Amino acid sequence: MINKLDLHGIRHEEVDRLVENFVLLNDTPMRIITGNSNIMRDLVIKVLDRHSIKYEQFKPSQITIL
């Protein structure tokens, strides 16, 4: 089963901490649902890049970590 983090309804200032905890405390595969917000997507990618975590975007509203 794939671990999921849905960021709908989450404030932008909470994203960094939530995503960091999610990716560091869970096993792959993981999916982060960002919705259609470019800002939300950029915030998530910033955390992933900071930790050198490789990801793919099969859909614009989701980021998958394999």
Side-chain angles (χ1 to χ4, degrees):
M1 182 159 171
I2 191 165
N3 292 311
K4 292 182 186 174
L5 175 63
D6 188 344
L7 296 175
H8 285 101
I10 302 298
R11 302 175 76 84
H12 289 153
E13 54 269 9
E14 298 175 46
V15 171
D16 191 279
R17 180 183 52 81
L18 287 173
V19 170
E20 186 169 65
N21 286 340
F22 178 72
V23 297
L24 296 178
L25 297 174
N26 289 286
D27 294 324
T28 56
M30 292 181 247
R31 181 165 293 139
I32 301 171
I33 301 165
T34 62
N36 293 322
S37 168
N38 289 330
I39 295 170
M40 189 70 79
R41 191 170 23 254
D42 291 345
L43 290 170
V44 170
I45 289 171
K46 181 178 171 186
V47 174
L48 299 177
D49 287 346
R50 183 170 66 228
H51 290 283
S52 300
I53 296 172
K54 298 201 186 282
Y55 60 89
E56 294 190 18
Q57 282 192 272
F58 300 111
K59 295 182 180 178
S61 62
Q62 298 179 29
I63 296 174
T64 303
I65 302 154
L66 301 172

